[in-house]
Amino acid sequence: MAVKVAHAMGAKVTVLSQTVKKKEDGLRLGADHYYATNDPETFKKLAGSFDLIVNTVSAKIDLNAYLSLLAVDGTLVNVRAPAEPLSVHVLSLIGQRRSFAGSMIGGIRETQEMLDFCAEHSITRLTGN
């Protein structure tokens, strides 16, 4: 849903996933680009590319590697929580004024705004529109 909503908001959307298994789905849902993070070249190629990364998985990831993908003043937002603590090297943040944030589901007002947005843009399910 994050891909569909971001696409509907006019964002240039890139899906990062561990392998290419979900590439077709990501592109069908509105992603402009798709990269596999198990390919070490991905992190080199995309370094400093993103203003925002929304991490929607609860698996433990190398936060510092993902932070390196952010542009100056970029933000990585976690919306799921892994079972294990995540480690951040402070230099991954301060050198480029990057931020690491978290967000949970909003309240009634925010949920209604999202439902209204989805209705306006015919976002009704994970497949197709």
Side-chain angles (χ1 to χ4, degrees):
M1 289 302 289
V3 172
K4 292 180 82 166
V5 170
H7 176 77
M9 293 176 124
K12 182 177 174 184
V13 180
T14 298
V15 170
L16 300 171
S17 190
Q18 192 171 17
T19 68
V20 294
K21 289 193 300 188
K22 299 176 190 173
K23 182 175 183 176
E24 188 177 305
D25 289 337
L27 296 175
R28 182 176 42 77
L29 292 171
D32 299 290
H33 305 283
Y34 185 103
Y35 293 93
T37 59
N38 67 355
D39 178 356
E41 291 300 310
T42 293
F43 288 92
K44 292 177 186 173
K45 180 177 183 174
L46 299 176
S49 297
F50 301 108
D51 296 318
L52 174 68
I53 297 174
V54 179
N55 180 21
T56 62
V57 299
S58 58
K60 185 175 182 180
I61 63 168
D62 180 354
L63 279 180
N64 301 297
Y66 284 86
L67 288 167
S68 76
L69 300 178
L70 293 171
V72 173
D73 294 325
T75 302
L76 188 153
V77 180
N78 256 38
V79 296
R80 300 277 309 266
E84 303 173 41
L86 298 172
S87 177
V88 177
H89 295 285
V90 175
L91 289 176
S92 296
L93 299 170
I94 62 176
Q96 298 292 314
R97 297 189 316 252
R98 295 173 176 141
S99 299
F100 176 56
S103 180
M104 292 187 72
I105 189 166
I108 293 171
R109 189 190 74 198
E110 292 87 356
T111 301
Q112 187 61 57
E113 287 174 9
M114 184 53 62
L115 290 171
D116 293 345
F117 180 86
C118 288
E120 283 177 37
H121 292 87
S122 300
I123 299 172
T124 58
R125 60 184 190 266
L126 285 177
T127 58
N129 268 341

